[in-house]
Every structure is written in structure tokens, then in C-alpha cells.
Amino acid sequence: MKSILIVNGHPDKESFNYALSDAYKEEANKTNVTLTQINISELDFNPNLRFGYRKRTELEPDLIDAIEKIKKADHIVWFFPMWWYGYPALMKGFIDRIFLPGITYQPIPKKALPQKLLKGKTARIVITADAPKWYDYLFMKSPTINQFKKGTLEFCGIKPVKVTYIAPMKNSTIEFRKNWIKKIALLGEKLK
């Protein structure tokens, strides 16, 4: 049985990101799958990597639980908005605190690249943004996608990582949003 983890990085439970993750979850639950979810805004943890990598900060129980969910998942679906060509601060803190040496990757002495501890997992990133996709790609060079897909997930062994980019959200119509809800629900049905 396939295990899917949904991670929502939006701080507002009434956001469109939650509507999208709910649509995915509803359809995925109709299949033969084990489904778990992490809503980062509900976790109790300090998002500050206080000592950097010099010294390990004690992990709070919610982060220990999140790490276990990530390790057990076959496929992880991330939902978050792109703000200032990055992801929300709380999500960044979540990544900083749990994507650590010995947990998601292991440095190898005298080697540039680490041992990837999350090999065998796949992921999908669902990003909402105000910037049109062409602008993000041509002018900004997709910094959020590159940072999260390549610099975090693939760095730790998660591959392939597919991306669904939903934009522009600013001034979007109800019809636009309903169409995206349907598309994300279909991804949930197909477990992609």
C-alpha cells in the first residue's frame, strides 16, 4: 500500500492552498493508500535554527513526529504560496529544523555531495503565486522551485519532484480557482 504525506506550508487555514490540499486529500482517500498530513502552522516548534549546523538544537515533539511521517511516506505533496520569490517564513523554519545532517542527508568526508537519506521517495510541489509562470521562469529564473526542488528535496534524494505552478492568484476569478481545484483533485485521484 502506497503511503502519501500532504504538507501544507500556508499559515492561513482559510487560504486557497488549504482548499487545494483538501481537494487532493479527498480524492486520494478514495484510493488504496495510507494518507497523513502535516499543517506546518499547527505545529509547536521554534523555526529558528539557533546554532546553525555548529550544534544540534533539541527537536520538539511535533518535529520528531513530522520527521517520522516524512520517512514513512512514499510520496510527499507540498502545498504553499510563493511570497517574495520564496516560501513562507514558517515553512522555511520547518525545513531548516528538520532537513538536517543524519536525518535527511549525511555528509561524506572529502566528498562534495552527501549520502541522500530520502532516496526512493517522490514528490509534487503545488505552488500558488501572483507572478505569471513565464515571468517567474524567464526573468526570475524560478528561484523558489530551484531552491526547494533541487536544493532541498533532490539534494536529500527525493526524485522525481514534479511541480504544479498556479498563477496568477491576484485578482483570480472563482472559475479559475474551481478549475484548479478540479485539476488538483485529479492528481489526488491518480496519486500523483
Side-chain angles (χ1 to χ4, degrees):
M1 185 183 301
K2 192 171 186 178
S3 177
I4 293 185
L5 172 62
I6 295 171
V7 182
N8 199 312
H10 201 296
D12 181 4
K13 289 183 184 178
E14 294 180 26
S15 70
F16 186 57
N17 280 251
Y18 272 85
L20 293 167
S21 66
D22 287 347
Y24 184 96
K25 183 179 182 178
E26 185 176 328
E27 292 305 311
N29 268 330
K30 295 176 184 175
T31 67
N32 187 22
V33 69
T34 301
L35 193 116
T36 55
Q37 186 163 354
I38 298 170
N39 297 323
I40 297 172
S41 66
E42 295 174 2
L43 304 181
D44 183 18
F45 72 102
N46 179 351
N48 186 18
L49 188 61
R50 187 173 178 190
F51 305 109
Y53 294 106
R54 179 179 59 82
K55 179 173 131 180
R56 180 68 57 92
T57 302
E58 192 71 31
L59 292 169
E60 295 88 344
D62 282 353
L63 294 184
I64 293 168
D65 183 58
I67 290 166
E68 288 308 308
K69 287 178 179 175
I70 288 170
K71 286 182 176 181
K72 288 179 183 173
D74 298 311
H75 183 65
I76 307 168
V77 187
W78 297 81
F79 292 86
F80 60 90
M82 181 175 73
W83 293 340
W84 293 108
Y85 292 93
Y87 31 85
L90 192 61
M91 181 173 157
K92 176 69 167 86
F94 177 77
I95 301 298
D96 286 351
R97 290 294 312 283
I98 67 170
F99 279 72
L100 296 169
I103 295 175
T104 59
Y105 69 94
Q106 183 62 51
I108 302 170
K110 300 182 182 179
K111 298 241 178 176
L113 296 176
Q115 178 185 0
K116 300 171 183 223
L117 301 180
L118 298 180
K119 274 189 172 181
K121 300 177 186 309
T122 60
R124 176 169 298 274
I125 301 169
V126 180
I127 302 172
T128 57
D130 286 337
K133 190 173 185 177
W134 63 265
Y135 185 85
D136 179 61
Y137 178 76
L138 289 176
F139 291 98
M140 299 304 293
K141 308 298 183 209
S142 303
T144 307
I145 294 167
N146 287 327
Q147 178 186 8
F148 193 54
K149 178 182 176 179
K150 297 181 183 307
T152 304
L153 300 179
E154 290 180 356
F155 180 83
C156 295
I158 299 173
K159 210 170 191 179
V161 178
K162 306 239 172 142
V163 178
T164 301
Y165 188 94
I166 304 172
M169 291 305 303
K170 188 176 183 179
N171 301 320
S172 63
T173 65
I174 290 173
E175 194 60 36
F176 174 88
R177 291 176 180 231
K178 282 182 179 176
N179 284 336
W180 274 109
I181 293 280
K182 288 177 189 171
K183 290 176 185 177
I184 298 303
L186 189 59
L187 290 175
E189 181 184 314
K190 295 181 177 182
L191 305 177
K192 291 186 175 186

